[in-house]
Every structure is written in structure tokens, then in C-alpha cells.
Amino acid sequence: MKQLQIDLIPEEYASPSSVRRAVAQAMGVREDELEPFRITRRSIDCRRRPLYHCTVEVESGKWHPEGELNTLEKKKNVVKKVENDAKQTAAADLSTFHFPLSTKQVLIVGAGPAGLFAALRALQLGMKPIIVERGKPVEERKKDIVSLVRTKEVNPDSNWCFGEGGAGTYSDGKLYTRSTKRGDVSQVLRLFVEHGADPDIMVDVHAHIGTDRLPAIIASMRKTITEAGGEYHFNTRVTDLIVKDGRVCGVVTAAGDEIEADAVILATGHSARDIYELFTRRGWLLEAKPFALGVRVEHPQELINEIQYHGKNYSKLLPPATYSLTTQVYSNNQTTRQSSNQHGVFSFCMCPGGVIVPAATAGGQQVVNGMSNAARNSGFANSGIAVTVGSEDISSISRESSPTSLLDFQKSVERRAFEAAGNTIDAPSQRLVDFLRRKPSSRLNKSNYMGHCVSAPLHEILPDFVVDCLIQGFKDFDRKMRGFITEEASLLAVESRTSSPVRIPRDKETLQHPQLQGLYPCGEGAGYAGGIVSSALDGIRCVEAIGMLHSRQ
Ligand SMILES: Cc1cc2nc3c(=O)[nH]c(=O)nc-3n(C[C@H](O)[C@H](O)[C@H](O)COP(=O)(O)OP(=O)(O)OC[C@H]3O[C@@H](n4cnc5c(N)ncnc54)[C@H](O)[C@@H]3O)c2cc1C
């Protein structure tokens, strides 16, 4: 097996014979001498003229047509071998679920990516997972989401963040993580493939699944977990922990039931504010954690394609373009202790061909986020644009510094956005060009928000230092992506659930809460992950820590 890198222009990539020629050239052989090969990694570099960067593995043996690379249209042939490999490896993973389970039971609070991957790994390690989830199975959850859009009423247990699959279900399903140190990403991708995801996710550097495909995958994971001996409790909100002699040995539910287990993984996500309130009430350790706050920006997708692909030539040959932007700015923030403060401004959860959704988890909040279908074909591109916020930024707003002061600040901004939309989950909206001039929009652009947009002065709703940083950030982004600032771009508020403003601390080695033996704070809500893949990896890590402890006892 020989591995090589080749760069292909989109026209070459779309033509199997050109790909073959390029591989033969890179190998220094004639085409008829070329051995079977396959693309194992692929990304698009659009810094100049767009190029596919491909990692190709050339095998020994004779060339056969099945080894041909796929075109964009015929990708099934392209990845046939990758698919088989992925399925075989995943099948090997799943076969380990049939070990007889030990008597060890792990209670997992939350069926988001952290909780589900913890459950799958627990089964591989011979432990029985008991999943306790406040929301509904994914099939029923969908009805609540439709109803949320129609009635504008948020069900606090079943919404865009809560319910089976967690916040990752109705999302773009982007599967890349900046942090590869957290564990074996391919382990997570393989499990997605085994449960129905397109095997291409093993190949694309910037893979995504799509919100139209995710619910079936989540349901398939449930089947694996229950068939292997795991247990689900839906519509079951955890309201307290059972603690005996400093050790957590179960949970109390809203119905007053007690469910006991040997260890508890708390994977409730960053929107489970009642869990942070529980910790505060019980005097258990919590820490404030910097988070990010901003807006969602929306452009016509065609415009983003043109900017990123340097013209209109490639729109048919390349997928809807993405972007990732980041900059550092100094705000003249009168509300902070320092006269000038450095902040990161960055794009977050960019959804090409996507939709903007109302992601509040209770009444009285306005929150936006983004999702896309697998085809990413809505015609709109949206992305969170957020400013980093730390405790020092709110010291004059909230003089009492406490572990939840950033959470309180986050709540207050969401409340203001809700009020600005006439006490509804309509989205306060402003044209980007008006925001930069700090003037309300007399008319709004067309938007793909799942609901209504109302014109509102976002420069007054958001804290001054955030507005200041966003304005500088947008100007810098326009320098990096000429045309980003355009009459056609809209801003929707408020992008506030980028990450948790609170951390539930845990010991670096054992991953248990410092005061509560047997409790494993996990995933995004505990502050140890951000995104689907890193949350899934954290779930796996927590279960492995429990397994290690178990094997020593
Ligand atoms: C619209 C949207 C789009 C997104 N798009 C992407 C994307 O494309 N790529 C990406 O990587 N990330 C995306 N994210 C972020 C990603 O979904 C989260 O990072 C990830 O889901 C966090 O995983 P988690 O398991 O830690 O928590 P969550 O997914 O938040 O899951 C927590 C679970 O706990 C349950 N729960 C909460 N409180 C309780 C309680 N008291 N009792 C019982 N159960 C409880 C909730 O119902 C929920 O199911 C998106 C998020 C949203 C909202």
C-alpha cells in the first residue's frame, strides 16, 4: 500500500479518467500499469483557484474498475472500498456488544452525542447503560419542533436542544473537531457509518451528515443499545442526585422516582440550566467559564460560492462553499475594568445551504442557531459570528462575581432579544450594513429563518463591547472575504449558545467531580467539549474512566 497526495482541479476531480491519469503520473507509471487505488481523505482548498487535496492509497494487485475513483455524482463507486472497510471495522466494534454484561450499571443523564456514545462504549466494556432523558424519542420530538415553529411556544423538555440525540440531532451534523487530542475521531465516525451515515464521512475532512439523515441514525443507535441490553427512560427529567457518604449512587427524577446505579455520567448539555441551579442550590462546585456571544449572519449561498470559489465557474462542480473566519480585536469597552480589551471574533457552526432555527429551551428566551440538510441546498448560507466573553467583561454589569455570573449575563441578553421581538421567538433582525452604521433597518432582506424576522436594533440589544467587537470583526472578515459585507447580508439575534458559560469541574485523572465520587461531568454542558464529535469523544472517555476504576476494584 502506497500513500500519496494529489491536487486536482474540480474538472479533473469530476472525471474518473483524469483522476486515474493524475494518480499514474504521481506514481510515475503508465496508466495501464496502475494498481487499484482509492481516495481516503479529501478536502477543498479555495485560497486561490479551487483545488481538491486528495490522499490516495494505491494497493498492490491489478487495476480493476471497482477501484476507480468516484466523481462527485457517482460517489458510491468512489468510496466502495472505504465503505466496506468502514462497515467491517464498525461491525467488529459492534460485535463486542454481545459480551455478557456485568452487573455494573452506568446511569447516563442526557441522550445527546456525549450520552449516546458513552452508552455505546459502556456496552463494549460490558457495562449496562441506563439512559435518562428529559425529552422524547426522536420520532416524537420532531412533532414538538414543528409545533414550536407553528405556535411559538417552547416545550422546556422537547425542543431544538432537548430530546433524543440532544442538540446535535436537528443540526448541520458537521463532524469535524479542532481538537484531535481528545481521542480517536475515526471511532466516532465508524459508529455513525455503522448506524446509517454515508461512508463519505470517513473521507471528507469537513464531513457533515445533515439534519434530514440524523434522526434515523439516532434511532438506529437506540436499537443497538436496547438490543445489547441498555435501557432508556424518556420523558424523565433529572432533578437531583442521590448522594450517600459523598458518593453519587443514582438520580431523582421530576416524578420523584429514584434510579440507582454504580456511576452517573452527567451529559445534560449547555442548555440544562436547571442542572446548574441544582449544583448552586446544593453547594456543589461549579466554575464560571468564558463563552461567546453574537449574532447569526445570513448571505445568499451563491454569493458565498462566488467569493470562496473566485467566480461563478465552479458552482456546478463544487459543493456549496463554507468559510471559517477568525480575528482578534480590541474593544473600547467602557463597562469593563480595562479601557481596551482584546477579544476573539470568530465564525461558528457555519451552515452552507442551511436554515436558521429558534433554539430557545424555555419561554422568555430568544436564541438562534443553524442547521442544514445533507444536500445543503436551501440557497442560504448562515453562520454564527461570536465574540469571546469572560468574567472580566461583565464585572461592571454583575459586580458580584459568582460561578453563574456569565450564565446570568447570557440569560439577560437572551431575554432582551426576546423582548425586542415583541415577547416572541420571532428573530430580531437587522441588515448587516445597517448594523455597521448602528441604525435600525427600515426593510429586511429575505431570510431562511424558521419563523418570522422582525426589524430590531441589534446594536442596542447586544452589549456595547460585543457590538464594538462585531463591527471590527465584520470589517476584518470583509478584508479576508471581499464582498462579505453586502446589502444582501442579514443578522439575526442572538447567537448565545455557542458553548457553556459554566464548567462542572472534574478530576483530571479520574474524571469525577471533586466533591462527588461516582459523578462524571461530561460533554458540552460540563464544559469539556464543543460540538458533536468532541462531545461523543468525551462520553467515551468518561465511560472508559469508569471501566478503569471498575477493573481495579
Ligand atoms: C441547531 C444546532 C445546530 C448544531 N450544529 C452542529 C454541527 O453541525 N456540528 C457540531 O459539531 N455541533 C453542532 N451543534 C452543537 C452540538 O449539537 C453540541 O455541541 C452537542 O450536541 C453537545 O453534546 P452533549 O451530548 O454534550 O449535549 P446535548 O447534545 O445538549 O445533549 C444533552 C441532552 O441532555 C438532556 N437533558 C438536559 N437536562 C436534562 C435533565 N435534567 N434530565 C435528563 N435529561 C436532560 C437533553 O434533553 C439533551 O438530550 C449544534 C447545536 C444546535 C442547537
Side-chain angles (χ1 to χ4, degrees):
M1 182 86 74
K2 190 172 160 108
Q3 206 177 66
L4 48 111
Q5 307 290 329
I6 55 169
D7 287 345
L8 300 166
I9 59 170
E11 292 87 339
E12 283 175 327
Y13 183 81
S15 144
S17 58
S18 305
V19 176
R20 209 156 98 190
R21 201 172 313 124
V23 177
Q25 248 171 28
M27 289 287 290
V29 297
R30 289 199 321 264
E31 273 183 65
D32 59 356
E33 294 170 342
L34 189 59
E35 308 285 5
F37 65 91
R38 63 190 168 121
I39 292 178
T40 53
R41 288 302 265 166
R42 151 178 85 204
S43 64
I44 299 170
D45 179 353
C46 49
R47 280 171 296 180
R48 292 184 203 90
R49 185 182 181 186
L51 276 181
Y52 273 96
H53 280 323
C54 301
T55 304
V56 179
E57 275 181 13
V58 185
E59 294 173 19
S60 59
K62 284 227 161 12
W63 165 259
H64 56 83
E66 281 183 8
E68 259 182 35
L69 294 170
N70 57 342
T71 61
L72 219 56
E73 298 77 31
K74 289 187 188 171
K75 64 183 177 181
K76 287 293 169 210
N77 277 344
V78 181
V79 290
K80 197 163 180 172
K81 187 158 189 331
V82 179
E83 178 174 2
N84 289 339
D85 284 359
K87 284 223 161 124
Q88 267 167 23
T89 330
D93 282 346
L94 291 183
S95 67
T96 59
F97 291 174
H98 302 298
F99 286 148
L101 297 182
S102 71
T103 51
K104 186 98 179 167
Q105 300 195 332
V106 184
L107 196 149
I108 299 166
V109 191
L116 290 179
F117 280 79
L120 290 165
R121 187 71 185 126
L123 288 163
Q124 288 176 324
L125 296 176
M127 295 182 276
K128 175 179 174 171
I130 303 171
I131 300 176
V132 182
E133 167 57 52
R134 72 194 293 163
K136 300 178 185 175
V138 72
E139 301 84 356
E140 293 172 45
R141 181 181 171 196
K142 190 169 182 185
K143 294 178 197 153
D144 290 326
I145 284 176
V146 172
S147 156
L148 187 158
V149 174
R150 213 185 48 242
T151 63
K152 302 185 188 179
E153 295 291 328
V154 182
N155 175 339
D157 291 314
S158 183
N159 48 58
W160 244 282
C161 294
F162 293 162
E164 188 181 20
T169 307
Y170 299 102
S171 79
D172 182 47
K174 278 178 283 295
L175 295 177
Y176 36 96
T177 170
R178 287 188 187 136
S179 172
T180 45
K181 282 182 270 165
R182 288 193 170 112
D184 178 10
V185 173
S186 63
Q187 186 184 4
V188 171
L189 300 182
R190 276 199 305 271
L191 281 166
F192 272 119
V193 171
E194 176 58 26
H195 290 94
D198 188 330
D200 262 8
I201 64 170
M202 307 286 295
V203 176
D204 284 317
V205 171
H206 294 123
H208 92 117
I209 295 182
T211 193
D212 46 341
R213 306 252 171 100
L214 279 157
I217 294 170
I218 301 297
S220 165
M221 286 182 177
R222 186 200 320 145
K223 190 163 173 278
T224 299
I225 291 168
T226 47
E227 281 178 358
E231 193 177 301
Y232 279 80
H233 297 253
F234 286 113
N235 298 304
T236 307
R237 181 160 39 87
V238 167
T239 52
D240 206 350
L241 303 175
I242 307 170
V243 187
K244 289 184 189 151
D245 302 326
R247 184 167 184 87
V248 174
C249 46
V251 298
V252 182
T253 74
D257 297 328
E258 295 193 352
I259 308 174
E260 298 205 347
D262 302 286
V264 174
I265 294 181
L266 192 65
T268 44
H270 62 25
S271 292
R273 291 174 171 171
D274 38 5
I275 292 294
Y276 303 135
E277 281 156 20
L278 167 69
F279 272 66
T280 308
R281 207 167 53 243
R282 297 285 238 125
W284 297 326
L285 277 179
L286 277 183
E287 293 167 2
K289 183 185 140 300
F291 75 114
L293 177 71
V295 290
R296 199 148 270 262
V297 66
E298 191 177 43
H299 292 85
Q301 181 63 50
E302 225 176 278
L303 183 99
I304 298 297
N305 292 349
E306 274 181 49
I307 301 175
Q308 294 297 77
Y309 296 150
H310 313 281
K312 294 189 188 222
N313 293 353
Y314 297 107
S315 54
K316 290 218 166 58
L317 287 170
L318 291 170
T322 66
Y323 58 81
S324 171
L325 294 162
T326 171
T327 188
Q328 292 289 323
V329 301
Y330 289 88
S331 78
N332 299 318
N333 179 8
Q334 300 309 313
T335 60
T336 64
R337 280 184 292 220
Q338 293 133 307
S339 59
S340 111
N341 253 335
Q342 193 176 15
H343 290 268
V345 184
F346 57 95
S347 63
F348 172 84
C349 186
M350 197 267 155
C351 297
V355 178
I356 301 181
V357 301
T361 46
Q365 312 166 350
Q366 169 54 18
V367 181
V368 287
N369 213 311
M371 67 176 198
S372 346
N373 282 335
R376 289 180 160 170
N377 57 0
S378 77
F380 288 85
N382 71 68
S383 174
I385 302 289
V387 176
T388 52
V389 180
S391 299
E392 65 284 359
D393 299 310
I394 60 159
S395 54
S396 71
I397 303 167
S398 161
R399 295 206 177 272
E400 296 276 307
S401 163
S402 81
T404 54
S405 48
L406 283 169
L407 175 65
D408 296 337
F409 172 71
Q410 182 194 42
K411 283 183 191 169
S412 70
V413 179
E414 291 174 3
R415 173 101 224 158
R416 268 209 306 281
F418 180 76
E419 286 165 0
N423 295 320
T424 72
I425 55 158
D426 289 344
S429 183
Q430 191 171 15
R431 293 186 323 136
L432 172 57
V433 287
D434 295 328
F435 179 76
L436 296 176
R437 292 183 206 120
R438 298 176 191 258
K439 79 175 193 56
S441 295
S442 53
R443 65 171 181 88
L444 294 177
N445 294 321
K446 200 164 167 245
S447 166
N448 213 15
Y449 177 61
M450 273 208 172
H452 294 105
C453 291
V454 291
S455 175
L458 304 194
H459 57 281
E460 287 172 15
I461 296 166
L462 293 164
D464 285 347
F465 75 94
V466 173
V467 173
D468 200 26
C469 292
L470 283 174
I471 290 177
Q472 292 178 62
F474 280 124
K475 288 182 178 165
D476 186 63
F477 295 163
D478 190 61
R479 282 189 283 274
K480 291 173 173 153
M481 270 179 74
R482 283 278 172 221
F484 194 85
I485 296 180
T486 157
E487 295 278 336
E488 293 173 275
S490 308
L491 303 184
L492 280 74
V494 58
E495 181 83 28
S496 51
R497 307 275 176 102
T498 52
S499 61
S500 174
V502 175
R503 172 171 284 119
I504 306 180
R506 68 186 189 195
D507 180 82
K508 279 200 178 78
E509 296 289 317
T510 69
L511 307 190
Q512 294 174 80
H513 188 274
Q515 294 165 317
L516 300 163
Q517 290 283 298
L519 181 76
Y520 294 78
C522 178
E524 190 163 43
Y528 297 99
I532 295 169
V533 170
S534 67
S535 300
L537 287 171
D538 201 50
I540 292 170
R541 243 186 112 199
C542 285
V543 163
E544 288 178 348
I546 296 169
M548 291 268 275
L549 203 68
H550 183 45
S551 65
R552 278 196 227 115
Q553 285 165 355

